[in-house]
Amino acid sequence: MIDGGLEDISISRCTNRFQWGIRVPGDDTQTVYVWLDALVAYLTAAGYPREEMVWPPEVQVIGKDILKFHGIYWPAFLMAAGLEPPHRILCHSHWTVNNQKMSKSRGNVVDPFANILLSSSDAVRYFLLREGVPASDGNYSEEKFVTLINAELCNTFGNLLSRCVAPSLNVSQEFPRFHKNIFEEQCIKQGKDLVDMVLYLPGLVKEHYLDFNFYRGLETIMSCLRQANLFFQEMEPWELKKNPVQHELLETVLHTTMETLRVVGILLLPITPIAATQLLDRLGVQANERRWQDLNAFSCITDHKRSPYEGRRLGDNNGVLFNRIKSETMGHP
């Protein structure tokens, strides 16, 4: 837009052409340009002209079809008024439905609130941020929604928690101990890759979140959870449970899996706040232990210190994180 050259823009229009607009003070022959009127509403919402107004925003989120007005006109209006523009603009793409433009005339408008009733608000949030890519249009389909939520949230994420805190495996209902010597002797082949992924996970996800590439952050989290499921499956804790001699190995396997889930739960708080809170409650993680600085994991390996969660009583069993969606219950295009 800018490379093509910019021209001066009039902030008013003739009243005889736009009679419905706001009249320019002192000149009834002119009405205020509609985009100036609309954009100034942001200032009103921020508290202008009070001194305590919250301005400028760190980031302003807009759709790609109104980028010119927010990326060129709006900063110019603000600077002309002696105000600072938003620090950054996040311009997102649009959603299509079955690769078609969403419109009332086509009758293919998707109601997110209906999807929430059939799944959950967390499921809808996750789908939108997992499939929504800022640089290109996202595509919604009923099949894709059901498949993604069932595969990633129900199976990969929710089922892993249910398995490792089940009373049949975790009889004491405590966060188990981590036995470093046992891990190094019997889990190192299966567990090293998982531990390395968990240790690097916060830094990678933070980078993606700050770049507003939430889908990449969620891809990274899911890769880690798939590795955790593989570790859990290969170690067969249900078989270890049958042999009292393997009790310390069982504890180590459960601790490794639950520590992974603790880190993932904190990272997912901005994305799926209800389910992440439910998971952290179940793991016995206190409300003041869910900050970014609490993401340091496996202190027994990295700092040779005992984990502060060992021996901690688990929270009450408050049900599954996500219920599977049956495709026949969906009723959208």
Side-chain angles (χ1 to χ4, degrees):
M1 296 180 191
I2 296 177
D3 290 343
L6 298 176
E7 297 180 356
D8 291 342
I9 180 173
S10 173
I11 60 170
S12 69
R13 298 291 186 269
C14 291
T15 303
N16 56 8
R17 292 174 53 203
F18 299 97
Q19 298 181 7
W20 47 264
I22 298 175
R23 299 297 173 90
V24 171
D27 188 350
D28 287 341
T29 68
Q30 297 288 306
T31 59
V32 176
Y33 175 44
V34 64
W35 269 104
L36 175 60
D37 173 30
L39 291 167
V40 166
Y42 293 130
L43 292 175
T44 303
Y48 184 86
R50 300 193 306 268
E51 291 185 3
E52 63 272 20
M53 77 168 183
V54 182
W55 195 268
E58 285 294 325
V59 59
Q60 187 161 2
V61 183
I62 62 166
K64 66 178 183 179
D65 53 334
I66 52 175
L67 176 59
K68 178 176 70 173
F69 306 104
H70 288 78
I72 299 176
Y73 295 177
W74 182 221
F77 294 158
L78 288 168
M79 289 188 288
L83 296 172
E84 188 176 353
H87 292 167
R88 289 179 292 177
I89 290 179
L90 171 59
C91 180
H92 63 78
S93 298
H94 293 166
W95 281 93
T96 60
V97 179
N98 295 320
N99 295 309
Q100 289 188 326
K101 184 178 179 180
M102 193 184 308
S103 69
K104 292 182 180 179
S105 60
R106 285 195 175 99
N108 65 347
V109 175
V110 178
D111 181 0
F113 297 103
N115 275 9
I116 289 173
L117 293 176
L118 293 170
S119 54
S120 68
S121 59
D122 275 0
V124 174
R125 289 166 64 105
Y126 182 85
F127 178 84
L128 293 176
L129 292 172
R130 180 75 165 87
E131 291 294 312
V133 179
S136 59
D137 288 345
N139 181 53
Y140 172 89
S141 74
E142 181 181 298
E143 180 182 3
K144 181 186 289 188
F145 179 80
V146 173
T147 300
L148 181 71
I149 299 306
N150 286 345
E152 296 195 351
L153 294 187
C154 295
N155 295 345
T156 305
F157 183 31
N159 282 358
L160 184 60
L161 174 67
S162 298
R163 297 173 78 185
C164 66
V165 300
S168 57
L169 285 181
N170 193 326
V171 178
S172 65
Q173 288 295 282
E174 294 179 348
F175 206 114
R177 289 188 60 192
F178 182 91
H179 303 273
K180 185 178 179 182
N181 59 320
I182 297 294
F183 179 83
E184 292 176 345
E185 292 170 5
Q186 301 188 54
C187 299
I188 196 64
K189 180 179 181 298
Q190 301 89 341
K192 185 178 185 302
D193 289 343
L194 174 59
V195 170
D196 286 345
M197 289 183 76
V198 175
L199 293 177
Y200 284 107
L201 189 62
L204 294 173
V205 173
K206 181 179 181 180
E207 180 180 349
H208 294 317
Y209 280 5
L210 291 178
D211 287 339
F212 306 110
N213 289 319
F214 300 104
Y215 74 102
R216 288 182 176 172
L218 296 177
E219 285 176 354
T220 307
I221 290 172
M222 278 300 143
S223 294
C224 184
L225 284 174
R226 283 190 285 270
Q227 182 67 31
N229 276 276
L230 179 63
F231 167 76
F232 194 86
Q233 195 69 22
E234 289 185 349
M235 295 305 299
E236 300 182 332
W238 53 92
E239 295 295 334
L240 300 176
K241 176 67 173 58
K242 300 175 183 178
N243 187 354
V245 176
Q246 301 280 28
H247 179 68
E248 290 187 350
L249 177 56
L250 173 62
E251 284 193 315
T252 302
V253 171
L254 293 179
H255 179 104
T256 303
T257 307
M258 292 165 66
E259 178 71 341
T260 301
L261 285 168
R262 181 187 70 84
V263 171
V264 166
I266 295 174
L267 292 174
L268 285 177
L269 277 170
I271 310 295
T272 57
I274 297 174
T277 298
Q278 187 177 344
L279 174 140
L280 294 169
D281 287 345
R282 185 72 174 103
L283 294 179
V285 180
Q286 301 301 310
N288 62 350
E289 298 173 324
R290 304 176 184 186
R291 302 160 298 178
W292 202 268
Q293 54 263 45
D294 297 311
L295 285 168
N296 294 327
F298 294 106
S299 57
C300 41
I301 296 177
T302 58
D303 300 326
H304 306 288
K305 296 179 181 179
R306 181 177 176 178
S307 168
Y309 305 99
E310 288 186 8
R312 185 177 296 187
R313 185 73 182 171
L314 298 183
D316 294 334
N317 187 350
N318 44 12
V320 298
L321 295 184
F322 295 95
N323 292 308
R324 290 186 63 82
I325 306 172
K326 297 179 180 180
S327 58
E328 58 266 25
T329 63
M330 304 292 290
H332 303 303

